C-alpha cells in the first residue's frame, strides 16, 4: 500500500514537472520566416540556436524561465527562439556567427548579449536595453533608489550641449553594459562637487568620478573603462570584456572558501590598493597571488615579492610601469605558436587521462591509416620504377635486332625467296634476254 502511494506521488510529481516545463515553454515563441516582417512591431529577445549545440541545450531551460519571468512581470519584451540552421538567411542578416547567440531587437537596432547565461543577468539586460536610452532622475529620492540598485551607473548633469550629444552617442553604443541617466544639479547629492557644468559622472564603489575631457580623452572610451568596479570578482565573461578596454588589470587568484590569515590579509591589502590608489594606477585590482595583465598586448606580470602591506603592492605596480619587471606572454607570433602547442598538448593529455582507450582510438587510427598510405606510396613507386625499367630494357632488346635482320635480308637473299630488283633494267635488255 505504501509502495503504491509512493509510486502515485512520484507520478504526480513527474506530471507536475512536465506541466511546469510545458507552461514555461508556452511563453517562448518558436520563430520562423514570418518573424522577419513582423519583428519591428514589438521588442524581441531572441535566442538563435542550433539543435545539435550542447550549449544551446544547456540554455534551453534557463530560456524558458526567462520567458515565464518576462511574462509574469508584464514586460513589453517578447521572448522567442529561432533555429539558425533552418533559417540561416535570417540568422546571417542579424550577424549570427555562433550558437547560442542572444540578441535584443528593438526597431532597426540589434543588441548583442555577452554576459553570463543566467536568468537574472539576461532579464537585467533586457530591462536595460528595452527601456529609454537616457533615463531621467527627477528627484533625490529617485537618485538614492538608483544608487542602491546599481553598483555602477553614469549621470549627465546639465542642459543641452555638445557634451550631451557625445553622451547620447556613447550611451547608444554601451547601453548593453551599463545604465545611463540625466539629472539637474539640485538632484545630485550634496557631497558631489562640480567645478563646471555640464558634466558627466560615474558613481561606483561608494564614491564618484568626474569626466575630464582633457585628461580622459574620448568620452566613449572613458565610459568603457569606468563601467567596471575597481575591485570585483573575475569570471570568463568579465575578463573578455576587460580585454576591450586596453587597461592594465591586476588579477589576484585565491580560494574564496579559504579563510586563513594569509588569504584574508592579502585580500584586504589589494582591496585597500584598489580603493586608495586608483588615481595613481587607474587599474582594476583583485586578490592574492597577484597577476597583472596588460590587455592591450596580452602580456602579464607575476608577483616577484611577498606582499606585507599596501606599500609593497604599490612598489610592485610601480616597478611594472617603469619596466624593471620582465613581462611574460604577449601576442607575438612565437607566443601564439607556443599557445597552440600548449593547447594541443593539454588537450591530448586530458583525453588520455580521462579515457585512454578513446585516446588510442582517436590518435592511433589516423596515424595507422597515414602509415599504411605512406608505405603503399613508397612501395608503389619502387615497383613501378622497376617494372618500367624492365619494360624499357625488354622493348629495346626486342626492337634493336629488327633493323639488323632487315639489312641482312636485303644483303643476303635466302634460297627459295624471290627478290625484287632494286633498279629496273632497260626495256631493250629485257627483250634480248627473252630472245
Amino acid at each position: 500500500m505504501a509502495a503504491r502511494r509512493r509510486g502515485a506521488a512520484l507520478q504526480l510529481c513527474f506530471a507536475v514537472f512536465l506541466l511546469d516545463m510545458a507552461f514555461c515553454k508556452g511563453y517562448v515563441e518558436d520563430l520562423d520566416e514570418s518573424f522577419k516582417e513582423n519583428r519591428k512591431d514589438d521588442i524581441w529577445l531572441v535566442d538563435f540556436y542550433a539543435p545539435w549545440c550542447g550549449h544551446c541545450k544547456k540554455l534551453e531551460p534557463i530560456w524558458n524561465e526567462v520567458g515565464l519571468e518576462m511574462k509574469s512581470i508584464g514586460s513589453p519584451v517578447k521572448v522567442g527562439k529561432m533555429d539558425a540552421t533552418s533559417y540561416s538567411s535570417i540568422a546571417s542578416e542579424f550577424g549570427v556567427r555562433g550558437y547560442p547567440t542572444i540578441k535584443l531587437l528593438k526597431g532597426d537596432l540589434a543588441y548583442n548579449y555577452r554576459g553570463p547565461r543566467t536568468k537574472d543577468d539576461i532579464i537585467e539586460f533586457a530591462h536595460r536595453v528595452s527601456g529609454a536610452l537616457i533615463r531621467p532622475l527627477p528627484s533625490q529620492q529617485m537618485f538614492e533608489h538608483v544608487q542602491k540598485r546599481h553598483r555602477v551607473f553614469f549621470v549627465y548633469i546639465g542642459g543641452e550641449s555638445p557634451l550631451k550629444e557625445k553622451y547620447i552617442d556613447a550611451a547608444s553604443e554601451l547601453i548593453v553594459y551599463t545604465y545611463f541617466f540625466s539629472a539637474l544639479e539640485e538632484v545630485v547629492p550634496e557631497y558631489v562637487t562640480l567645478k563646471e557644468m555640464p558634466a558627466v559622472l560615474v558613481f561606483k564603489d561608494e564614491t564618484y568620478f568626474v569626466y575630464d575631457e582633457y585628461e580622459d580623452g574620448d568620452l566613449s572610451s572613458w565610459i568603457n573603462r569606468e563601467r567596471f568596479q575597481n575591485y570585483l570578482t573575475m569570471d570568463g565573461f568579465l575578463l573578455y570584456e576587460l580585454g576591450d578596454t586596453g587597461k592594465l588589470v591586476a588579477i589576484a587568484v585565491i580560494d574564496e572558501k579559504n579563510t586563513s590569515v594569509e588569504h584574508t590579509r592579502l585580500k584586504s591589502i589589494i582591496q585597500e590598493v584598489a580603493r586608495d590608489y586608483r588615481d595613481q594606477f587607474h587599474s582594476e585590482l583583485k586578490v592574492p597571488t597577484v597577476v597583472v595583465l596588460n590587455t592591450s598586448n596580452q602580456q602579464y606580470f607575476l608577483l616577484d615579492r611577498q606582499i606585507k602591506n599596501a606599500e609593497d603592492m604599490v612598489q610592485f605596480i610601480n616597478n611594472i610601469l617603469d619596466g624593471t619587471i620582465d613581462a611574460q606572454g604577449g601576442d607575438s607570433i612565437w607566443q601564439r605558436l607556443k599557445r597552440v602547442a600548449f593547447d594541443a598538448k593539454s588537450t591530448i593529455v586530458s583525453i588520455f587521462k580521462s579515457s585512454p582507450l578513446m585516446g588510442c582510438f582517436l590518435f592511433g587510427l589516423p596515424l595507422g591509416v597515414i602509415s599504411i598510405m605512406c608505405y603503399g606510396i613508397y612501395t608503389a613507386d619502387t615497383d613501378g620504377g622497376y617494372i618500367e625499367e624492365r619494360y624499357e630494357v625488354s622493348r629495346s632488346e626486342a626492337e634493336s635486332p629488327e633493323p639488323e635482320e632487315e639489312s641482312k635480308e636485303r644483303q643476303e637473299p635466302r634460297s627459295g625467296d624471290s627478290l625484287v630488283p632494286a633498279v629496273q633494267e632497260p626495256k631493250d635488255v629485257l627483250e634480248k634476254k627473252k630472245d
Side-chain angles (χ1 to χ4, degrees), residues 107-131:
D108 294 327
L109 301 176
Y111 298 92
N112 291 328
Y113 175 71
R114 297 179 179 177
R117 297 188 184 110
T118 64
K119 183 189 75 172
D120 294 337
D121 288 313
I122 294 173
I123 291 176
E124 175 72 12
F125 164 79
H127 287 330
R128 182 172 62 249
V129 179
S130 63

Side-chain angles (χ1 to χ4, degrees), residues 13 22 32 37 71 158 171 178 185 189 201 205 227 245 254 338-339 349 352 354 396 400:
C13 293
D32 53 23
E37 300 176 357
K71 187 68 175 181
T178 188
E185 187 175 5
L201 292 77
D205 301 320
R227 62 185 176 90
T245 65
I254 63 165
K338 289 174 65 177
R339 290 194 192 102
V349 171
F352 275 98
S354 60
S396 61
S400 58

Side-chain angles (χ1 to χ4, degrees), residues 13 76 83 95 106 125 134 155 159 166 173 189 193 195 209 216 218 242 252 254 256 302-303 341 359 370 381:
C13 293
D83 184 350
K106 183 180 178 183
F125 164 79
I134 309 294
V155 181
K166 295 179 181 179
E173 176 186 356
T193 302
K195 297 180 180 179
F209 304 96
D216 300 321
D218 179 64
L242 284 170
I254 63 165
E256 290 288 348
L302 300 178
L303 194 64
I370 293 174
D381 288 341

Side-chain angles (χ1 to χ4, degrees), residues 32 44 71 82 107 130 133 150 159 174 184 194 284 332 341 379 383 389 398 409:
D32 53 23
W44 282 92
K71 187 68 175 181
M82 174 177 286
S130 63
L133 187 64
H150 304 298
L174 301 173
L184 299 177
L194 298 176
E284 313 297 329
S332 63
T379 55
D383 294 343
E389 182 180 358
E409 289 179 355

Side-chain angles (χ1 to χ4, degrees), residues 4 24 65 69 75 104 133 181 194 196 240 256 262 285 303 318 344 353 395 402 435:
R4 289 183 179 179
C24 292
E65 293 179 6
E69 181 76 12
S75 173
L104 188 136
L133 187 64
F181 298 90
L194 298 176
E196 59 182 10
Y240 177 80
E256 290 288 348
E262 179 64 19
L285 302 177
L303 194 64
N318 280 326
K353 284 184 177 180
R395 187 176 62 180
E402 290 182 357
D435 295 339

Side-chain angles (χ1 to χ4, degrees), residues 423-433:
V423 181
Q424 188 175 4
E425 294 182 1
K427 188 175 182 180
D428 54 348
V429 175
L430 292 175
E431 291 177 354
K432 290 181 178 179
K433 286 183 177 182

